[in-house]
């Protein structure tokens, strides 16, 4: 099977259109970053607290916001996960934390605690003041200690059964009702009575809580920028050694283009920039360079084989000779990344999104831009030895 | 079959066997990262200033003693305001300046002296200061390690971030009650026994009414622990005959009324001092102070003989009593610590991520396999074998390097699935080209592999360059991603070039007759 039989497209004809097209997207992105909505830094870079919560029953964003309004942090970002209205991510921002207290991360933790407290119902608050632990957040060891006096022999095993049930796929981290303990974990009525007496069941459970202090955020921002720049530089050196300076510079310009467009689109879609996204950007840099190198490799070969040929024609031939491979590899990569985007879940979604854009942009730039850069290089600098090696 | 091929087959089988041996069963051999198994990731900073401040305070006290012993009078000896490693003395007789300088040279060699006619300023030597800071970080590492061990957590990682600096990374898998752990790690756990001079009083003014509102020399004002008492004010002695380092053991117990309490015993040296001390002060009230807060005040009824067993009973809950005895056993922190980053992932979220990650891998694998099979037919099956082998090698390498598989790491595997076939595609497309130029099947295969190899190498090396920088800069999960990417790409060079070529050798007959290659 073959998608394209004997491809013979005039890619170089569109070099100016491609440049203008890319330029416009980059410009839009840059404008949005500088004077528009800017880059939406996630907690990794901006600091702050992220609390992920699952509720027993369906709740609306409005209800959560109402609870948060009571403690004055209603402008936290509340994001629903999934479709059943039970799971939410609440992010509080640094400025609010600083208003609450001067200390760095303690302030964030304080806010995170405030969020959790604000969501508690009156009965739950009174249970806590009585010193009852929440069965939905209790530590396994402590639970074992709690039931030790009445079930000395099996305390540990029983405690484990309860926490395993709590974290199972069916319950997703929250026990909704004491009756579930007998139905799903087969616990005896005596034990359930004991638990009802000594614990309470909160109507929500905290699935994860992440707090990053501003100091770390600043650090990571610096490191991320450094890693990106050094990676680009490392690649430039490698290509300059394996090929020629001209190829290195052309490739790096192409990559810089990919990074700028991806960051721009990120800014335009208002997604959060987090560590995994930086990882995705660096990966797509490597990926896009793959494509570019395959084409450049052909260009170099053809410079030996087709000495008489016009340079523009030679570039076109090289792209056409590799177009099948470019399309197939991009296709399989796109397929896998798209799978990740669909099935990978919320945590990895931004990463998958970045890679999706990256694969498209990287393929486009390898085909349309990398060779144009070489073309312009030859036109402007007129290297005496030519571009072969 | 010629000899060369036989050796290649043996090599490939050996590699497969090794990978299976390393990675099977995956549930035990593959190390899961915190984001997948649930747990707590903490970055904390040792406030090394504290260690310097403590040292300065102790040295001021020692200096005072020395001055008294040498009969040098002075008006003020105090820390320079705004400085943690500097103090000065003022108001000494002018003719004694020489003596003071001599004293510093003989007994305070850690200090740089800057004399003037009215004031002598001492500053800690910078080498000593950095030594103190370094020591406080190392000791904190040790203490935190002890406490984590005491908590009985499995597979903890406690390490310094970088070789120098004051940050410590603590990773604790399986923690479900992060607040308690954080509280335990953070407690300085500085235990002191101090004589109570007067009190309790409801506020500072009442307490100091007899002293004309001034804190007398050799005394200090302290309060009861606010979380358990009314926070009454006491005037206590500023020397502590017994401190945390005199402890031998501490454990949770119950007192005579069956309330949770903490019992502890002293080491021989501490117990001897305690016996003498209690003998001298029978009838006087003694306070037990933890981190500057009075836990308990009781009258000394009689001399407490070695081993100096003592019971501390505030109105603790069982958990509090447990935590206090734990931190006392594990030792005090030389300096305060501050949390910079705290990420806790619950086990149910981790399990959910594993399920979603596995689903994605399987679906992606399936799609790519189907595609390769249809597009390249028999050669596609060749690529499929190479791809499956690649994933097997990846697993084996992860197990061997004890690298943690994280959620971004799973994404790395999925990407590898997409990108590893690239090497196959490059080779196959080359072979197709050669075939279309009318070359024979075997010469097409040979030149396809040899020509594509250079390209594959260049393309993969650049991706690895990116991954290495990513590894350098990233933390936990991101490192997991970089590692899987590097291993996956490296393995693909072996599977897609070496193994794939071998499969061609085995399946395509070397014949002079005209044949067609299914590609």
């Amino acid at each position: 099977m073959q998608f394209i039989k004997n491809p013979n497209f005039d890619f170089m004809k569109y070099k100016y259109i491609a440049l203008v097209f890319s330029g416009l997207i980059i410009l839009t992105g840059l404008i949005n970053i500088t004077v528009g909505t800017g880059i939406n830094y996630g907690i990794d870079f901006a600091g702050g607290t992220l609390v992920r919560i699952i509720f027993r029953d369906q709740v609306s964003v409005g209800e959560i916001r109402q609870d948060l309004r009571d403690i004055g942090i209603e402008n936290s970002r509340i994001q629903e996960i999934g479709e059943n209205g039970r799971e939410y991510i609440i992010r509080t921002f640094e400025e609010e934390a600083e208003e609450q207290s001067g200390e760095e991360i303690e302030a964030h933790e304080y806010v995170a605690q405030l969020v959790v407290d604000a969501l508690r119902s009156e009965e739950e608050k009174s249970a806590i003041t009585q010193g009852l632990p929440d069965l939905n957040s209790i530590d396994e060891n402590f639970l074992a200690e709690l039931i030790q006096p009445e079930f000395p022999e099996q305390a540990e095993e029983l405690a484990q059964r309860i926490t395993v049930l709590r974290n199972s796929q069916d319950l997703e981290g929250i026990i909704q009702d004491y009756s579930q303990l007998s139905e799903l974990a087969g616990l005896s009525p005596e034990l359930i009575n004991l638990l009802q007496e000594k614990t309470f069941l909160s109507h929500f459970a905290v699935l994860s809580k992440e707090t990053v202090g501003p100091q770390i955020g600043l650090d990571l921002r610096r490191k991320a920028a450094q890693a990106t720049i050094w990676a680009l530089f490392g690649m430039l050196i490698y290509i300059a050694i394996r090929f020629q300076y001209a190829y290195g510079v052309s490739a790096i310009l192409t990559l810089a283009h990919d990074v700028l467009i991806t960051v721009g689109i990120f800014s335009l879609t208002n997604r959060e920039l987090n560590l995994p996204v930086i990882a995705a950007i660096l990966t797509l840099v490597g990926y896009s360079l793959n494509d570019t190198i395959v084409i450049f490799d052909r260009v170099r070969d053809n410079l030996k084989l087709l000495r008489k040929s016009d340079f523009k024609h030679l570039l076109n031939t090289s792209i056409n000779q590799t177009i099948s491979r470019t399309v197939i590899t991009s296709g399989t990569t796109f397929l896998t990344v798209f799978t990740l985007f669909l099935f990978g879940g919320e945590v990895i979604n931004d990463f998958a999104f970045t890679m999706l854009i990256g694969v498209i942009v990287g393929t486009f730039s390898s085909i349309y831009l990398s060779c144009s850069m070489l073309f312009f290089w030859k036109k402007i600098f007129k290297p005496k030895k030519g571009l072969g090696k | 079959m010629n000899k060369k091929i036989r050796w290649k087959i043996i090599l490939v089988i050996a590699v497969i066997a090794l990978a299976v041996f390393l990675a099977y069963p995956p549930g035990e051999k593959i190390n899961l990262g915190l984001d997948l198994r649930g747990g707590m990731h903490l970055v904390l900073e040792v406030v090394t200033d504290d260690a310097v401040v403590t040292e300065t305070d102790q040295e001021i006290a020692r200096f005072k003693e020395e001055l008294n012993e040498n009969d040098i009078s002075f008006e003020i000896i105090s820390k320079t305001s705004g400085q943690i490693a500097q103090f000065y003395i003022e108001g000494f007789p002018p003719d004694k300046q020489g003596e003071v300088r001599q004293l510093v040279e003989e007994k305070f060699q850690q200090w740089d002296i800057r004399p003037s006619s009215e004031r002598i300023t001492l500053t800690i030597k910078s080498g000593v200061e950095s030594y103190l800071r370094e020591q406080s970080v190392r000791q904190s590492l040790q203490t935190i390690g002890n406490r984590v061990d005491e908590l009985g957590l499995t597979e903890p990682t406690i390490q310094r971030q970088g070789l120098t600096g004051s940050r410590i990374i603590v990773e604790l898998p399986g923690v479900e009650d992060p607040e308690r752990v954080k509280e335990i790690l953070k407690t300085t756990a500085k235990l002191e026994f101090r004589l109570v001079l007067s009190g309790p009083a409801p506020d500072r003014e009442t307490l100091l009414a007899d002293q004309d509102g001034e804190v007398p020399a050799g005394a200090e004002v302290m309060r009861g622990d606010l979380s358990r008492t009314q926070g009454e004010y006491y005037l206590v002695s500023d020397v502590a005959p017994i401190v945390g380092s005199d402890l031998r053991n501490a454990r949770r117990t119950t007192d005579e009324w069956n309330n949770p309490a903490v019992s502890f015993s002293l080491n021989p040296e501490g117990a001897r001092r305690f016996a003498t001390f209690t003998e001298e002060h029978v009838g006087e009230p003694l306070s037990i102070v933890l981190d500057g807060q009075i836990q308990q005040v009781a009258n000394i009824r009689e001399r407490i003989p070695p081993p100096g067993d003592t019971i501390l009973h505030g109105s603790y809950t069982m958990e509090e009593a447990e935590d206090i005895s734990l931190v006392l056993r594990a030792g005090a922190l030389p300096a305060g610590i501050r949390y910079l980053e705290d990420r806790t992932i619950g086990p149910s979220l981790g399990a959910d991520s594993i399920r979603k990650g596995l689903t994605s891998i399987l679906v992606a694998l399936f799609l790519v396999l189907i595609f390769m099979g249809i597009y390249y037919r028999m050669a596609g099956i060749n690529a499929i074998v190479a791809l499956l082998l690649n994933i097997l090698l990846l697993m084996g390498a992860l197990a061997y390097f004890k690298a943690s598989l994280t959620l971004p790491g799973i994404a790395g595997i999925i990407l590898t699935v997409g990108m590893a076939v690239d090497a196959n595609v490059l080779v196959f497309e080359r072979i197709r080209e050669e075939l279309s130029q009318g070359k024979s099947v075997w010469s097409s295969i040979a030149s396809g592999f040899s020509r594509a190899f250079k390209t594959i190498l260049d393309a993969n090396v650049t991706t690895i360059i990116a991954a290495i920088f990513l590894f350098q800069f990233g933390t936990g999960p991101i490192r997991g991603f970089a590692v899987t990417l590097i291993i996956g790409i490296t393995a693909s060079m072996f599977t897609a070039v070496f193994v794939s070529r071998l499969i061609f050798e085995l399946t395509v007959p070397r014949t002079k007759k005209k044949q067609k290659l299914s590609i």
Side-chain angles (χ1 to χ4, degrees):
Chain A
M1 190 175 142
Q2 221 169 339
F3 286 137
I4 318 157
K5 289 222 161 61
N6 302 323
N8 188 17
F9 303 102
D10 189 0
F11 293 106
M12 296 304 286
K13 195 168 124 192
Y14 303 106
K15 59 181 180 297
Y16 291 109
I17 297 175
L19 274 178
V20 170
F21 178 68
S22 287
L24 280 179
I25 298 183
I26 292 179
L27 199 66
T28 319
L30 285 181
I31 288 174
N32 196 52
I33 290 171
T34 46
V35 295
T37 48
I39 290 180
N40 188 359
Y41 286 109
I43 65 161
D44 291 340
F45 296 118
T49 294
L50 209 64
V51 190
R52 185 164 173 159
I53 290 175
I54 185 164
F55 289 91
R56 185 179 56 207
D57 314 302
Q58 207 165 337
V59 218
S60 70
V61 176
E63 288 170 85
I64 299 175
R65 202 171 290 284
Q66 185 56 48
D67 283 335
L68 296 181
R69 185 167 294 141
D70 296 342
I71 53 166
I73 49 173
E74 72 271 20
N75 52 345
S76 308
R77 214 197 63 185
I78 303 168
Q79 183 194 353
E80 186 183 341
I81 307 292
E83 274 109 44
N84 53 17
R86 287 178 56 209
E87 217 175 317
Y88 288 92
I89 289 179
I90 301 171
R91 177 177 170 203
T92 62
F93 295 92
E94 199 195 324
E95 303 82 52
E96 294 167 18
E98 261 162 23
E99 278 167 30
Q100 304 280 350
S101 135
E103 286 284 306
E104 275 195 357
I105 191 169
E106 274 81 2
H108 295 288
E109 312 239 289
Y110 177 69
V111 173
Q113 201 53 47
L114 277 184
V115 170
V116 172
D117 289 345
L119 295 172
R120 293 226 179 275
S121 67
E122 287 308 318
E123 301 97 73
E124 286 164 15
K125 281 180 190 156
S126 84
I128 290 170
T129 31
Q130 286 166 40
L132 296 182
D134 175 6
L135 192 58
N136 272 327
S137 67
I138 193 168
D139 188 61
E140 190 180 307
N141 295 337
F142 192 58
L143 179 60
E145 251 176 64
L146 195 74
I147 54 182
Q148 179 84 33
E150 317 244 344
F151 297 87
E153 301 287 298
Q154 323 124 285
E156 277 172 24
E157 191 247 315
L158 289 172
Q160 196 189 2
R161 245 157 78 187
I162 294 172
T163 48
V164 166
L165 173 72
R166 184 174 70 194
N167 298 330
S168 68
Q169 189 172 2
D170 295 338
L171 295 192
E172 299 174 275
I174 183 166
I175 300 171
Q176 299 175 318
D177 197 306
Y178 283 105
S179 65
Q180 285 184 319
L181 292 173
S182 64
E183 285 162 21
L184 300 171
L187 299 184
S188 66
E190 291 81 21
L191 177 57
I192 291 174
N193 280 338
L194 175 76
L195 288 173
Q196 269 175 323
E197 192 186 312
K198 293 212 164 169
T199 65
F200 73 99
L201 275 181
S202 174
H203 75 295
F204 63 88
V206 176
L207 296 178
S208 74
K209 207 177 91 193
E210 301 180 55
T211 306
V212 179
Q215 221 181 328
I216 294 274
L218 215 65
D219 246 39
L220 285 179
R221 227 185 291 185
R222 207 193 59 229
K223 280 189 187 167
Q226 273 176 1
T228 315
I229 290 167
W230 280 110
L232 287 176
F233 189 67
M235 292 170 179
L236 173 72
I237 301 286
Y238 182 81
I239 304 171
I241 292 172
R242 293 283 298 176
F243 292 76
Q244 252 189 47
Y245 199 54
Y247 293 89
V249 174
S250 305
I252 295 307
L253 285 177
T254 313
L255 297 183
H257 156 269
D258 299 345
V259 173
L260 285 176
I261 288 199
T262 311
V263 174
I265 292 183
F266 227 76
S267 160
L268 288 168
T269 51
N270 212 23
R271 280 180 175 250
E272 276 186 11
L273 191 70
N274 271 320
L275 277 182
V277 174
I278 298 293
I281 290 179
L282 277 177
T283 315
L284 80 87
V285 163
Y287 170 79
S288 162
L289 191 56
N290 255 359
D291 283 355
T292 306
I293 283 187
V294 170
I295 298 173
F296 280 2
D297 214 41
R298 261 315 161 102
V299 172
R300 198 171 48 175
D301 279 358
N302 287 339
L303 279 171
K304 286 177 216 150
L305 295 172
L306 316 166
R307 279 168 196 275
K308 297 272 159 61
S309 175
D310 160 52
F311 191 55
K312 195 195 270 183
H313 177 70
L314 186 145
L315 291 175
N316 252 332
T317 313
S318 308
I319 303 174
N320 275 309
Q321 281 171 333
T322 50
I323 189 77
S324 252
R325 174 265 159 199
T326 308
V327 170
I328 293 168
T329 303
S330 301
T332 55
T333 311
F334 186 86
L335 218 54
T336 51
V337 175
F338 193 58
T339 313
L340 192 64
F341 182 74
L342 287 184
F343 302 106
E346 178 55 36
V347 185
I348 204 76
N349 195 263
D350 284 334
F351 174 90
F353 177 77
T354 316
M355 281 304 300
L356 270 186
I357 299 177
V359 171
I360 297 168
V361 175
T363 309
F364 164 81
S365 70
S366 303
I367 295 176
Y368 283 99
L369 295 182
S370 60
C371 283
S372 308
M373 301 283 176
L374 268 186
F375 178 77
F376 290 128
W377 181 282
K378 189 159 188 229
K379 215 172 166 184
I380 296 168
F381 295 102
K382 301 190 177 61
K384 285 200 188 82
K385 285 184 286 178
L387 289 172
K389 195 176 184 176
Chain B
M1 202 190 309
N2 68 33
K3 234 178 173 177
K4 222 167 141 193
I5 293 182
R6 195 176 316 150
W7 280 113
K8 283 185 181 173
I9 295 173
I10 292 173
L11 176 68
V12 171
I13 291 175
V15 170
I16 294 175
L18 182 67
V20 171
F21 169 75
L22 287 170
Y24 187 84
E28 286 168 29
K29 298 281 182 68
I30 304 281
N31 212 347
L32 291 184
L34 283 184
D35 57 340
L36 292 183
R37 68 197 293 197
M40 180 159 79
H41 167 95
L42 288 174
V43 178
L44 44 89
E45 184 167 58
V46 179
V47 186
T48 55
D49 278 4
D50 287 358
V52 181
V53 170
T54 311
E55 176 74 8
T56 309
D57 285 346
Q58 282 173 358
E59 290 285 277
I60 292 175
R62 191 161 73 93
F63 203 80
K64 233 193 252 180
E65 267 173 42
E66 290 288 343
L67 290 174
N68 288 338
E69 264 176 39
N70 290 299
D71 286 327
I72 303 171
S73 63
F74 60 92
E75 278 164 18
I76 305 173
I77 177 163
S78 165
K79 228 184 288 183
T80 315
S81 71
Q83 296 282 337
I84 56 169
Q86 198 181 77
F87 67 95
Y88 64 89
I89 50 172
E90 275 181 11
F92 47 87
D95 55 319
K96 295 272 188 182
Q97 204 193 35
E99 275 184 57
V100 177
R101 292 179 65 167
Q102 200 185 343
L103 179 66
V104 173
E105 270 160 33
E106 278 171 14
K107 295 195 169 164
F108 291 84
Q109 287 158 354
Q110 304 182 10
W111 296 81
D112 282 327
I113 182 167
R114 205 176 65 226
S116 72
S117 53
E118 283 105 50
R119 174 194 269 215
I120 290 177
T121 309
L122 296 176
T123 313
I124 211 161
K125 288 189 170 139
S126 66
V128 177
E129 185 177 337
S130 51
Y131 173 79
L132 285 171
R133 290 183 191 273
E134 174 68 21
Q135 244 355 70
S136 70
V137 176
R138 291 195 176 182
Q139 209 180 323
S140 300
L141 266 173
Q142 180 78 39
T143 306
I144 289 171
N146 289 345
R147 289 183 188 177
V148 169
D149 285 347
E150 293 277 353
L151 274 168
L153 298 168
T154 48
E155 298 172 60
T157 318
I158 300 150
Q159 62 190 30
R160 208 165 169 175
Q161 193 176 50
L163 293 174
T164 56
S166 52
R167 287 184 188 171
I168 295 175
I169 300 173
V170 181
E171 298 210 316
L172 306 171
V175 168
E176 291 190 47
D177 189 355
E179 298 312 317
R180 179 177 172 216
V181 174
K182 266 160 59 188
E183 203 45 54
I184 287 177
L185 294 189
K186 202 183 164 154
T187 314
T188 318
K190 192 170 162 207
L191 180 83
E192 297 159 303
F193 285 40
R194 297 199 189 203
L195 270 186
V196 176
L197 306 174
S198 75
D203 54 54
R204 206 183 159 93
E205 285 70 39
T206 328
L207 179 71
L208 297 175
D210 298 344
Q211 325 279 350
D212 306 327
E214 297 262 321
V215 180
E220 210 176 314
V221 176
M222 278 191 172
R223 295 185 72 179
D225 190 339
L226 278 169
S227 58
R228 276 178 285 275
T229 67
Q230 301 294 318
E232 296 91 349
Y233 287 80
Y234 293 87
L235 195 62
V236 297
S237 147
D238 71 351
V239 276
I242 301 293
V243 293
S245 53
D246 297 319
L247 282 190
R248 197 185 60 198
N249 197 8
R251 61 194 171 82
R252 190 191 79 199
T253 178
T254 47
D255 60 13
E256 56 238 75
W257 301 280
N258 230 10
N259 291 323
V262 179
S263 89
F264 46 81
S265 54
L266 302 174
N267 60 28
E269 156 67 19
R272 202 175 40 76
R273 254 186 293 131
F274 196 44
T276 325
F277 179 79
T278 45
E279 194 172 10
E280 282 169 13
H281 296 278
V282 171
E284 293 176 40
L286 180 70
S287 65
I288 300 179
V289 183
L290 188 63
D291 289 337
Q293 293 183 311
I294 294 178
Q295 302 294 308
Q296 174 189 356
V297 176
N299 284 328
I300 302 171
R301 269 175 288 183
E302 56 190 357
R303 171 178 182 265
I304 300 177
D309 288 342
T310 314
I311 282 191
L312 172 61
H313 30 169
S315 37
Y316 301 119
T317 65
M318 193 168 67
E319 203 171 328
E320 281 166 346
E322 175 71 46
D323 292 352
I324 290 177
S325 50
L326 188 154
V327 292
L328 288 180
R329 272 200 306 274
L333 282 175
I337 59 174
R338 195 161 59 199
Y339 291 116
L340 299 181
E341 186 181 340
D342 157 23
R343 297 173 192 256
T344 309
I345 308 294
S348 63
L349 190 59
D352 188 48
S353 292
I354 294 179
R355 275 192 300 273
K356 287 184 172 147
L358 282 182
T359 315
S360 309
I361 289 184
L362 291 179
V363 174
L365 199 56
F366 179 75
L367 290 176
V368 171
L369 295 187
I370 294 289
F371 173 79
M372 292 300 280
I374 293 175
Y375 198 83
Y376 290 117
R377 283 174 294 180
M378 283 310 284
I381 297 191
N382 181 330
I384 292 171
V385 174
L387 184 56
L388 292 176
L389 185 57
N390 187 339
I391 291 181
L392 181 66
L393 292 187
L394 181 54
M395 289 300 166
L398 278 182
Y400 178 75
F401 291 116
K402 296 201 170 25
S404 300
L405 183 64
T406 60
L407 185 58
I410 290 182
I413 296 179
I414 293 171
L415 267 180
T416 306
V417 170
M419 288 164 77
V421 291
D422 182 43
N424 287 112
V425 173
L426 277 167
V427 173
F428 293 171
E429 289 298 314
R430 268 289 181 173
I431 294 177
R432 278 182 172 187
E433 265 181 64
E434 304 285 326
L435 284 174
S436 73
Q437 285 166 19
K439 288 192 185 167
S440 80
V441 164
W442 261 106
S443 84
S444 298
I445 293 178
S447 67
F449 271 98
S450 67
R451 287 185 157 198
F453 182 73
K454 191 178 50 159
T455 318
I456 295 172
L457 184 73
D458 282 341
N460 284 348
V461 168
T462 48
T463 307
I464 289 177
I465 291 177
I468 287 173
F469 281 103
L470 200 54
F471 183 84
Q472 272 296 318
F473 120 91
T475 50
I478 301 299
R479 287 196 160 194
F481 171 74
V483 169
T484 42
L485 204 60
I486 292 172
I487 298 174
I489 289 172
T490 314
S492 82
M493 309 259 271
F494 175 72
T495 54
V497 179
F498 189 82
V499 178
S500 171
R501 168 105 196 219
L502 182 62
I503 297 175
F504 274 122
E505 302 259 10
L506 293 175
T507 53
V508 181
R510 285 208 183 250
T511 160
K512 289 263 161 68
K513 272 185 250 162
K514 226 174 166 333
Q515 57 172 342
K516 272 198 85 177
L517 185 65
S518 170
I519 190 165

